[in-house]
Amino acid sequence: EPEVTQTPSHQVTQMGQEVILRCVPISNHLYFYWYRQILGQKVEFLVSFYNNEISEKSEIFDDQFSVERPDGSNFTLKIRSTKLEDSAMYFCASSEFWFVDRPPYNEQFFGPGTRLTVL
Amino acid sequence: GQNIDQPTEMTATEGAIVQINCTYQTSGFNGLFWYQQHAGEAPTFLSYNVLDGLEEKGRFSSFLSRSKGYSYLLLKELQMKDSASYLCAVSWGDYKLSFGAGTTVTVRA
């Protein structure tokens, strides 16, 4: 069964350093998302991406964050200057839309996550 | 913004039934998802409701009432492996998901 993959599984970095988190979405999916989950807290939306541009972003997704689809398979999240509060699990998700005889169906498949630790 | 409420914890016995309620206040509702999440792992899809009513999928069922902003997830014939966090998530806007804080279900022998 196709799945979303993410690398690395765990990233440790020093405050102020740049990190790039990588994701390979499911191959026929066209919609991509990043979420994060701080330990013990709820999953939070960061950004959605479609047709090579950002569709929507949350207030968390400030100028320190950027996303890119550098080739036909990878989808990356860059944090330019990491802060302690960026420590979290970052999940990539992808989806396709089904239009049948009802509103669109948009199941998002989540990758296993990258645990980012900022020291 | 979105306001999604679900109980923090529930405990049930193996073989029993548990119902997890979720209430939400949202704008631009596209659908409601239930995900299961084991500690340290990614959310995995359980069910999806976009129209009112009950959706059944094996041991799991989910119900939606859009007029009441209410959903529930029903877990039947509980097994030990069902011990996990269950996340209610609303799809809205450009199909992004807003998650509740999750309900930790503990299944006891």
Short mmCIF file of all heavy atoms in Angstrom, two decimals, chain A residues 37-65:
data_model
loop_
_atom_site.label_atom_id
_atom_site.label_comp_id
_atom_site.label_asym_id
_atom_site.label_seq_id
_atom_site.Cartn_x
_atom_site.Cartn_y
_atom_site.Cartn_z
N GLN A 37 3.10 18.82 15.97
CA GLN A 37 2.51 18.45 17.25
C GLN A 37 3.58 18.60 18.32
O GLN A 37 4.53 17.80 18.37
CB GLN A 37 1.98 17.02 17.20
CG GLN A 37 1.20 16.61 18.45
CD GLN A 37 0.57 15.23 18.32
OE1 GLN A 37 1.08 14.36 17.63
NE2 GLN A 37 -0.56 15.03 18.97
N ILE A 38 3.43 19.63 19.12
CA ILE A 38 4.31 19.79 20.28
C ILE A 38 3.94 18.71 21.29
O ILE A 38 2.76 18.36 21.42
CB ILE A 38 4.15 21.20 20.88
CG1 ILE A 38 4.63 22.24 19.86
CG2 ILE A 38 4.91 21.34 22.18
CD1 ILE A 38 4.32 23.67 20.23
N LEU A 39 4.93 18.17 21.98
CA LEU A 39 4.72 17.06 22.91
C LEU A 39 3.59 17.33 23.88
O LEU A 39 3.58 18.36 24.57
CB LEU A 39 6.03 16.78 23.66
CG LEU A 39 6.04 15.53 24.52
CD1 LEU A 39 5.89 14.28 23.66
CD2 LEU A 39 7.32 15.45 25.35
N GLY A 40 2.61 16.43 23.88
CA GLY A 40 1.49 16.54 24.80
C GLY A 40 0.39 17.48 24.34
O GLY A 40 -0.59 17.67 25.06
N GLN A 41 0.56 18.07 23.14
CA GLN A 41 -0.44 19.01 22.65
C GLN A 41 -1.11 18.47 21.39
O GLN A 41 -0.79 17.39 20.90
CB GLN A 41 0.20 20.37 22.39
CG GLN A 41 0.77 21.00 23.65
CD GLN A 41 1.28 22.41 23.42
OE1 GLN A 41 0.86 23.09 22.48
NE2 GLN A 41 2.17 22.87 24.29
N LYS A 42 -2.05 19.24 20.86
CA LYS A 42 -2.80 18.76 19.71
C LYS A 42 -2.03 18.99 18.41
O LYS A 42 -1.08 19.78 18.35
CB LYS A 42 -4.16 19.44 19.63
CG LYS A 42 -4.12 20.93 19.42
CD LYS A 42 -5.52 21.51 19.41
CE LYS A 42 -5.51 23.01 19.17
NZ LYS A 42 -6.87 23.58 19.19
N VAL A 43 -2.45 18.28 17.39
CA VAL A 43 -1.88 18.46 16.06
C VAL A 43 -2.34 19.81 15.50
O VAL A 43 -3.53 20.14 15.56
CB VAL A 43 -2.33 17.31 15.13
CG1 VAL A 43 -1.79 17.51 13.73
CG2 VAL A 43 -1.90 15.96 15.69
N GLU A 44 -1.39 20.58 14.94
CA GLU A 44 -1.71 21.92 14.44
C GLU A 44 -1.34 22.04 12.97
O GLU A 44 -0.25 21.63 12.55
CB GLU A 44 -0.92 22.99 15.21
CG GLU A 44 -1.17 23.03 16.69
CD GLU A 44 -0.23 24.03 17.37
OE1 GLU A 44 0.98 23.75 17.45
OE2 GLU A 44 -0.73 25.08 17.81
N PHE A 45 -2.22 22.63 12.21
CA PHE A 45 -1.99 22.89 10.79
C PHE A 45 -0.93 23.98 10.62
O PHE A 45 -0.96 25.02 11.30
CB PHE A 45 -3.30 23.31 10.13
CG PHE A 45 -3.16 23.87 8.75
CD1 PHE A 45 -2.96 23.04 7.67
CD2 PHE A 45 -3.23 25.24 8.54
CE1 PHE A 45 -2.84 23.56 6.38
CE2 PHE A 45 -3.13 25.77 7.26
CZ PHE A 45 -2.93 24.93 6.18
N LEU A 46 -0.01 23.76 9.68
CA LEU A 46 0.98 24.78 9.34
C LEU A 46 0.69 25.38 7.97
O LEU A 46 0.55 26.60 7.82
CB LEU A 46 2.39 24.19 9.33
CG LEU A 46 2.98 23.74 10.67
CD1 LEU A 46 4.36 23.14 10.46
CD2 LEU A 46 3.04 24.90 11.64
N VAL A 47 0.63 24.51 6.94
CA VAL A 47 0.56 25.02 5.58
C VAL A 47 0.00 23.94 4.65
O VAL A 47 0.16 22.75 4.89
CB VAL A 47 1.97 25.47 5.12
CG1 VAL A 47 2.90 24.27 5.02
CG2 VAL A 47 1.93 26.23 3.81
N SER A 48 -0.70 24.40 3.61
CA SER A 48 -1.14 23.49 2.54
C SER A 48 -0.56 23.98 1.22
O SER A 48 -0.29 25.18 1.05
CB SER A 48 -2.67 23.42 2.47
OG SER A 48 -3.23 24.70 2.27
N PHE A 49 -0.38 23.06 0.29
CA PHE A 49 0.37 23.35 -0.94
C PHE A 49 -0.27 22.61 -2.09
O PHE A 49 -0.55 21.41 -1.99
CB PHE A 49 1.81 22.87 -0.72
CG PHE A 49 2.81 23.27 -1.75
CD1 PHE A 49 3.48 24.48 -1.64
CD2 PHE A 49 3.12 22.44 -2.82
CE1 PHE A 49 4.44 24.85 -2.57
CE2 PHE A 49 4.07 22.80 -3.75
CZ PHE A 49 4.74 24.01 -3.62
N TYR A 50 -0.55 23.34 -3.16
CA TYR A 50 -1.17 22.72 -4.33
C TYR A 50 -0.70 23.45 -5.58
O TYR A 50 -0.58 24.67 -5.58
CB TYR A 50 -2.70 22.78 -4.22
CG TYR A 50 -3.42 22.40 -5.50
CD1 TYR A 50 -3.41 21.09 -5.95
CD2 TYR A 50 -4.10 23.37 -6.25
CE1 TYR A 50 -4.06 20.74 -7.13
CE2 TYR A 50 -4.74 23.02 -7.43
CZ TYR A 50 -4.72 21.70 -7.86
OH TYR A 50 -5.37 21.35 -9.03
N ASN A 51 -0.43 22.71 -6.62
CA ASN A 51 -0.06 23.30 -7.91
C ASN A 51 1.14 24.23 -7.76
O ASN A 51 1.16 25.33 -8.31
CB ASN A 51 -1.27 24.06 -8.48
CG ASN A 51 -1.17 24.27 -9.97
OD1 ASN A 51 -0.51 23.51 -10.67
ND2 ASN A 51 -1.82 25.31 -10.46
N ASN A 52 2.12 23.75 -6.98
CA ASN A 52 3.39 24.46 -6.79
C ASN A 52 3.29 25.80 -6.09
O ASN A 52 4.17 26.66 -6.27
CB ASN A 52 4.11 24.65 -8.13
CG ASN A 52 4.77 23.36 -8.59
OD1 ASN A 52 5.32 22.62 -7.78
ND2 ASN A 52 4.70 23.10 -9.87
N GLU A 53 2.23 25.98 -5.31
CA GLU A 53 2.18 27.18 -4.51
C GLU A 53 1.41 26.94 -3.22
O GLU A 53 0.64 25.98 -3.12
CB GLU A 53 1.56 28.34 -5.30
CG GLU A 53 0.14 28.11 -5.77
CD GLU A 53 -0.37 29.28 -6.58
OE1 GLU A 53 0.45 30.01 -7.18
OE2 GLU A 53 -1.59 29.48 -6.61
N ILE A 54 1.64 27.80 -2.25
CA ILE A 54 0.95 27.69 -0.98
C ILE A 54 -0.53 28.03 -1.18
O ILE A 54 -0.88 29.05 -1.76
CB ILE A 54 1.58 28.63 0.07
CG1 ILE A 54 2.97 28.12 0.46
CG2 ILE A 54 0.70 28.75 1.30
CD1 ILE A 54 3.73 29.05 1.37
N SER A 55 -1.41 27.12 -0.69
CA SER A 55 -2.84 27.37 -0.74
C SER A 55 -3.29 28.16 0.48
O SER A 55 -4.10 29.09 0.37
CB SER A 55 -3.61 26.05 -0.77
OG SER A 55 -3.28 25.30 -1.90
N GLU A 56 -2.79 27.75 1.62
CA GLU A 56 -3.20 28.38 2.87
C GLU A 56 -2.12 28.15 3.91
O GLU A 56 -1.40 27.15 3.86
CB GLU A 56 -4.52 27.76 3.34
CG GLU A 56 -5.34 28.63 4.24
CD GLU A 56 -6.80 28.19 4.34
OE1 GLU A 56 -7.19 27.23 3.65
OE2 GLU A 56 -7.52 28.81 5.13
N LYS A 57 -1.98 29.08 4.83
CA LYS A 57 -1.02 28.91 5.91
C LYS A 57 -1.61 29.45 7.20
O LYS A 57 -2.46 30.33 7.20
CB LYS A 57 0.31 29.61 5.60
CG LYS A 57 0.17 31.09 5.30
CD LYS A 57 1.52 31.66 4.88
CE LYS A 57 1.39 33.16 4.59
NZ LYS A 57 2.69 33.75 4.20
N SER A 58 -1.13 28.89 8.32
CA SER A 58 -1.63 29.32 9.62
C SER A 58 -0.76 30.46 10.15
O SER A 58 0.29 30.79 9.58
CB SER A 58 -1.61 28.15 10.60
OG SER A 58 -0.28 27.83 10.96
N GLU A 59 -1.18 30.99 11.28
CA GLU A 59 -0.41 32.08 11.89
C GLU A 59 0.93 31.58 12.43
O GLU A 59 1.85 32.37 12.64
CB GLU A 59 -1.22 32.75 13.00
CG GLU A 59 -1.66 31.82 14.12
CD GLU A 59 -2.95 31.08 13.83
OE1 GLU A 59 -3.44 31.13 12.67
OE2 GLU A 59 -3.46 30.42 14.76
N ILE A 60 1.05 30.27 12.61
CA ILE A 60 2.33 29.70 13.06
C ILE A 60 3.37 29.82 11.94
O ILE A 60 4.56 30.02 12.18
CB ILE A 60 2.16 28.21 13.43
CG1 ILE A 60 1.12 28.05 14.53
CG2 ILE A 60 3.49 27.60 13.84
CD1 ILE A 60 0.74 26.60 14.76
N PHE A 61 2.92 29.69 10.73
CA PHE A 61 3.79 29.65 9.55
C PHE A 61 4.24 31.06 9.21
O PHE A 61 3.71 31.71 8.30
CB PHE A 61 3.04 29.00 8.38
CG PHE A 61 3.92 28.59 7.24
CD1 PHE A 61 4.49 27.33 7.20
CD2 PHE A 61 4.17 29.45 6.17
CE1 PHE A 61 5.29 26.93 6.13
CE2 PHE A 61 4.96 29.06 5.11
CZ PHE A 61 5.52 27.80 5.08
N ASP A 62 5.24 31.57 9.96
CA ASP A 62 5.71 32.93 9.72
C ASP A 62 6.88 32.92 8.73
O ASP A 62 7.14 31.92 8.06
CB ASP A 62 6.10 33.58 11.05
CG ASP A 62 7.22 32.85 11.78
OD1 ASP A 62 7.98 32.12 11.12
OD2 ASP A 62 7.31 33.00 13.01
N ASP A 63 7.58 34.04 8.65
CA ASP A 63 8.64 34.19 7.65
C ASP A 63 9.82 33.25 7.85
O ASP A 63 10.67 33.13 6.97
CB ASP A 63 9.15 35.63 7.65
CG ASP A 63 8.11 36.61 7.14
OD1 ASP A 63 7.14 36.14 6.51
OD2 ASP A 63 8.25 37.81 7.38
N GLN A 64 9.89 32.62 9.01
CA GLN A 64 10.98 31.67 9.25
C GLN A 64 10.73 30.33 8.55
O GLN A 64 11.63 29.51 8.44
CB GLN A 64 11.14 31.42 10.77
CG GLN A 64 11.61 32.64 11.53
CD GLN A 64 12.96 33.12 11.03
OE1 GLN A 64 13.90 32.35 10.89
NE2 GLN A 64 13.05 34.41 10.74
N PHE A 65 9.50 30.11 8.12
CA PHE A 65 9.13 28.85 7.49
C PHE A 65 9.00 29.04 5.99
O PHE A 65 8.57 30.08 5.51
CB PHE A 65 7.79 28.35 8.03
CG PHE A 65 7.81 27.89 9.47
CD1 PHE A 65 7.61 28.79 10.51
CD2 PHE A 65 8.02 26.55 9.78
CE1 PHE A 65 7.63 28.37 11.83
CE2 PHE A 65 8.02 26.12 11.10
CZ PHE A 65 7.83 27.04 12.14
#
